[in-house]
Amino acid sequence: MATGRTHRKNVRVYADGYDLSGYTRGIGPLAETYDEDGDFAFTDPVKGFLPGQAKLSLGTQNGLFDNTATVGLHAVLAGGAGSLHTVTVAMGIRAAPAAGDACYGAQHELQEYATDPNSGMLYANAKWGPASEAGKTLLYSKPWGVLLHANSAETAANTAIGIDQLAATAFGGYMVVHILSGDSGTITLKVQDAATNLNASFADVTGMTTGAVAATAGTSYLIAIGRTAALREFVRWQLALGTAATCTFVMTLHRAYN
Amino acid sequence: MSENIKLSTLTALIAAQSITVTNALGSSVALNIRDVSMTNETPGTGIVIAINPQDCPVLSPRALNFVTNVKPTMDTYNSQSLGRHSIEYDLTYQLYFYPLGEGGSWAANYGANAVCVMAIMLYFMTHSDQFAGSGSEDFFPLAIPALQSQSDATSTLYHGAEISFHVKHFTED
C-alpha cells in the first residue's frame, strides 16, 4: 500500500461482482452528507446546528455504452434501474488499488440508466440513489473502508500478516465482497482480525463471512455485524476452499469508529 | 519530503521497453529505443551520434526540442515542504525507420513505415501503466503530426515520424 495523493486513472469500480473500471469514465461525488438540524433561540447571536442523519451518495456514473455479454456496462446496468446494487469504488495510490488502500462501499439503488444517441461516441450514464432502505448498511453512516483484497485470484488460504488499522474498536462494521470469476465450486470468504500482526494470531471475525457460496462471476455480498461488535487492530482476508480451486475476488472492510 | 522531476527515470524506462515491430526487410525485430543520454554529442571532437541503418528502426529523443510545453503547477499553497506541486510536459521522439531512397525509390518502405509507426503508437497506448514506476502519474501518447522524413545528426534522411508523449509528474517522492 502506498500513501500520498493519486490520479483518477487509479480508481476502480466494482458493481455486483463485475469490474466496471474499463467502461467507467467517472463516478461521484462519493458523498457523506448530514442534515443540518437547527437548535437556536431568538436571543442566540449565531445560529447553531447539529448534524442530523447521514445520507450516502454515489453520484452519477458516466461510462461507455458497451453491450459485451454479461460484463459490459450496458449488460450490467441497463436492466438494473430501480433495483439494489452493491458498489465498491477503490482508490489506488499512484497505481492500481492494493490491499490497504481506501475504498467506498455501500448498497445503492440505481435510479436512472440513460444513454444519449445524439452524441458522437455513445455513452451511458447511471444515476445512483442514496444508500438504499433495502440495503444492509443503514446501521453505518461511514461508507469509507479499507481494501483487504485487491482484484486477483487466490487458490489457497491466506497466511500473510494483516493490515494495521491502528487500534481495536467496538462499534462493528461491514465487509463487501465481489466475486469476479471462479470455477463455480464452493468457497467461504471472510475477514479475520488479530491483536498482534502474526499469522498464528488471526481468527475469524464472528459473522463477517459469506458462508459457503459459489465462486461464480457476478456475485457480491455486503455483510454487516452488530454495532457493538469488537474488531481487533489487525485485519486480513481469508478463504476456505470447498469444492472451488480458484476464485478472483475483491474484499473490503468498513470498520465503524463510533 | 523531497521533491523530484524524474525525467531521466522516465526516459530510461521508455528505453527499456520491449516493442516488437516489423523492419524494412519484413522481419520482426525489437525496436531500438535510445535513452536521452545517447543523443549527446562529444564536445570538441566533432563526433555526433548518427543513426546506423543496421539498427533501424530506431526511436530516439528528438535532439532539438525534446522537452516542450513545460507547465509547473502549484497544487496547494503551503510551506516548501508541505505544498504539493505538479509538472506537465511533452516529450518528442523521432522514429528512424529506414534510410530514404534505399530499396529503389524514395517511396519504398513508405507503407512499412506507417505500419511500424502505428505499432509503436498502439504499444504505448496500451502500456501507459508501465510508467508509474518512473514517478509519472500520467503518461500517454500525445500525437504523431505526420509521417515524414527524419534527419539524423549527419543529415541523412530516413522514413519515420515524430511521436510525442504527454507526461505529468507529482514532484513529491
Side-chain angles (χ1 to χ4, degrees), chain A residues 5-7 9 94, chain B residues 75 85 137-138 172:
Chain A
R5 58 179 169 154
T6 191
H7 190 283
K9 70 179 181 179
R94 298 190 300 282
Chain B
D75 296 323
H85 310 108
E137 307 313 325
D138 205 12
E172 70 271 20

Side-chain angles (χ1 to χ4, degrees), chain A residues 5-145:
Chain A
R5 58 179 169 154
T6 191
H7 190 283
R8 62 195 294 272
K9 70 179 181 179
N10 300 312
V11 173
R12 300 290 183 269
V13 180
Y14 306 99
D16 298 337
Y18 295 105
D19 183 354
L20 298 181
S21 310
Y23 305 109
T24 302
R25 292 162 51 84
I27 188 167
L30 312 178
E32 176 187 350
T33 310
Y34 289 83
D35 295 336
E36 295 176 2
D37 291 331
D39 183 15
F40 43 86
F42 289 144
T43 54
D44 288 339
V46 177
K47 291 181 178 179
F49 293 88
L50 291 172
Q53 291 167 296
K55 184 170 85 171
L56 308 183
S57 301
L58 195 53
T60 299
Q61 183 174 0
N62 301 312
L64 306 174
F65 180 94
D66 190 309
N67 71 340
T68 301
T70 310
V71 300
L73 184 72
H74 181 74
V76 174
L77 296 182
S83 59
L84 186 67
H85 301 266
T86 303
V87 183
T88 295
V89 183
M91 312 293 176
I93 304 299
R94 298 190 300 282
D101 287 344
C103 54
Y104 178 103
Q107 289 183 313
H108 296 265
E109 290 187 61
L110 185 57
Q111 286 187 326
E112 178 182 306
Y113 174 83
T115 188
D116 183 2
N118 294 312
S119 59
M121 181 68 78
L122 200 53
Y123 297 113
N125 297 322
K127 181 181 177 185
W128 293 95
S132 173
E133 178 70 25
K136 297 176 181 174
T137 54
L138 297 182
L139 287 173
Y140 295 98
S141 61
K142 308 290 185 188
W144 289 94

Side-chain angles (χ1 to χ4, degrees), chain B residues 44-168:
Chain B
T45 66
I47 296 173
V48 294
I49 307 298
I51 299 296
N52 183 345
Q54 293 180 334
D55 295 337
C56 287
V58 175
L59 188 66
S60 180
R62 185 174 68 182
L64 184 64
N65 296 327
F66 174 50
V67 182
T68 55
N69 300 323
V70 179
K71 190 175 84 171
T73 304
M74 182 178 284
D75 296 323
T76 60
Y77 294 93
N78 211 313
S79 65
Q80 291 288 330
S81 61
L82 292 176
R84 291 288 185 266
H85 310 108
S86 301
I87 188 164
E88 295 181 61
Y89 55 86
D90 299 335
L91 299 179
T92 300
Y93 284 74
Q94 288 174 290
L95 174 68
Y96 299 94
F97 181 70
Y98 204 66
L100 206 61
E102 295 279 343
S105 76
W106 74 268
N109 301 310
Y110 184 87
N113 175 50
V115 171
C116 180
V117 168
M118 291 307 165
I120 296 167
M121 176 60 87
L122 180 62
Y123 177 88
F124 283 107
M125 287 174 67
T126 54
H127 291 75
S128 60
D129 60 341
Q130 302 280 313
F131 302 93
S134 66
S136 66
E137 307 313 325
D138 205 12
F139 174 91
F140 203 71
L142 180 64
I144 299 172
L147 304 185
Q148 57 191 7
S149 61
Q150 304 295 314
S151 174
D152 77 352
T154 61
S155 299
T156 303
L157 293 177
Y158 288 75
H159 283 290
E162 288 186 346
I163 301 175
S164 58
F165 303 92
H166 183 72
V167 184
K168 179 173 184 173

